[in-house]
Amino acid sequence: MQPAADSYLFTELDADAFATNPVPNLTMVRVQTSAAIPFVVLDQFGQPLRLSGRILVETAAELSLLSPDTQVARQPTARSGPFLADFADGPVRRALGNLSPLRSFAAVGAGTLQHVTAAFVDKEGKTRCRVVTDILKSSQGRVVVLARISGMRGYEKALAAVRQHAVVCGGEPFDAGDVYDALCPELVTYESKPEVSFAPGDPAFSVASDIIAAYIPVARANEAGVADDIDTEFLHDYRIALRKIRSVLSLFKGVYEEGQTADLKARFAKLMEPTGRLRDLDVYLLEKGAYYDLLPMSLHGGLDAQFDVVTRERKSAKARLARHLRSKAYEREITELAALFAKKSVLEPGPHADMATKSFGCALIRKRYRKICRIAEGIRPDSQPETVHALRIECKKLRYLMEFFGQLFPKEEFRSLTRPLKELQDNLGLVNDYAVQQVNLQRLLKGSGKANPVGDMDIAQSVGALTAVLHQRQVAERAKTVESLRRFNSPAVRKTFRKLFHARKDRT
């Protein structure tokens, strides 16, 4: 992404030099200076704006999106909540359209902001160039100055002179990293997929332990967001981190001693178990808008009653999970597990602990791919749900293995395998989602806890209608799965799998 040629970042001292040092035949004149007002820097968890080189600044009156390749986008600060859908329509919201609608915005930095408008004028007082400056001072007292220089038609030489003046005075192209460093010095980078580097010949025991050690902090980084119920993606990321840890323990067979492997699997499963019901309820509520779109208005009263019941149950489930995550027992257990994999010395190696990682990974991937191919040969549009579910689980295991070992293989060839696998997983995921939603609807109909909707005709009718629609969608998606399987099981894909993962001595 190329920075805009007329945008410059200054330190406070360099900004003073830019404003006061002479420019041949031109003089800077301040046109307007605003009062300093409080601001916050907003981003979502995972910092997608920072990673994209953009900065979202909010004051009581205005949202400003600073970007390296465009002029600043501005709109009034009119938002009803922390999600993108809560923002009023405007240039900022539209520019943020590629961000997740499921993640909330939160302040990652704060300070005061002052706008200064100035002009470079000639000896006759005519404006030859304009400068709009944002002076941002962090809560810790650090200052960055963003100056945007725009020329006047027919006065290109004056614009070039002011640009040269900016460079001479220390102005640099817009760099979001520099701004974040100044305004958000305590910001901690979050990686949902931490990169664990290793060599082909490294022992499998060391690599497996490093992967697990890297994902425990990912889970821990999401604990507060889950307990505080900031948004549903905290729980989603928390569960994925634990699932990947459990996948290493399950798939890296023989890396740890058998008894210790069983113990570790049980301990991580126990951490995961309290999260399941809340995630099911979150998924159900996330489909709320789609459900209303699926049913006619005459059945919306039943949906209202459904969502009232689910919302009450979710409140209880969220409270239970928050208590669990804040308990001393949980803190003790997760801390002990983290220390276990950080030290490694107390882990007991299994029979495959010293196997070279690439050879080990190739064997695991080959085995999983062959199993998928065997299941795939029997898949039809009318296959039993159990068979389709088994295929989905095996694809997820293969995806994790390929994610863990992907750095050891050529990128382009590897992508030629992960693309059709992801497509197949997407189809199988939808089939599973439709099945789970139908099960949840039947559970709702039978009643849950104190909320017992049995006999409520509105709920019964809406559940029946939704179940029928979801079943139709499930059948249609299963038909698409057959085609995705054909592409994933094609001769070209088989050939690439054989080429990359065939048993042979690996060159390191």
Side-chain angles (χ1 to χ4, degrees), residues 186-250:
E186 298 177 358
L187 189 61
V188 178
T189 301
Y190 168 76
E191 293 288 347
S192 62
K193 295 181 179 180
E195 185 175 335
V196 180
S197 299
F198 48 84
D202 288 349
F205 174 86
S206 177
V207 172
S209 301
D210 286 346
I211 293 173
I212 293 174
Y215 273 98
I216 291 176
V218 175
R220 302 229 62 186
N222 287 280
E223 291 168 353
V226 176
D228 293 338
D229 201 22
I230 294 174
D231 65 47
T232 59
E233 292 299 281
F234 283 95
L235 179 57
H236 181 56
D237 281 7
Y238 177 84
R239 283 170 54 83
I240 287 178
L242 290 184
R243 190 179 295 127
K244 288 183 177 180
I245 291 170
R246 296 174 65 194
S247 294
V248 172
L249 294 169
S250 297

Side-chain angles (χ1 to χ4, degrees), residues 367 369-379 489 494:
K367 179 181 178 181
Y369 180 64
R370 285 198 296 265
K371 190 169 184 178
I372 289 173
C373 289
R374 285 197 298 272
I375 298 174
E377 288 173 357
I379 292 290
N489 202 19
R494 284 177 176 266

Side-chain angles (χ1 to χ4, degrees), residues 455-482:
D456 189 316
M457 289 303 297
D458 286 342
I459 288 183
Q461 288 177 347
S462 64
V463 166
L466 266 181
T467 300
V469 172
L470 291 171
H471 176 70
Q472 291 172 356
R473 292 194 168 195
Q474 183 182 7
V475 170
E477 200 62 40
R478 282 171 64 172
K480 295 179 183 178
T481 297
V482 174

Side-chain angles (χ1 to χ4, degrees), residues 116-131:
V116 177
T117 303
F120 280 90
V121 301
D122 61 17
K123 294 178 181 179
E124 297 178 358
K126 293 182 178 179
T127 299
R128 296 290 182 252
C129 187
R130 290 195 174 95
V131 180

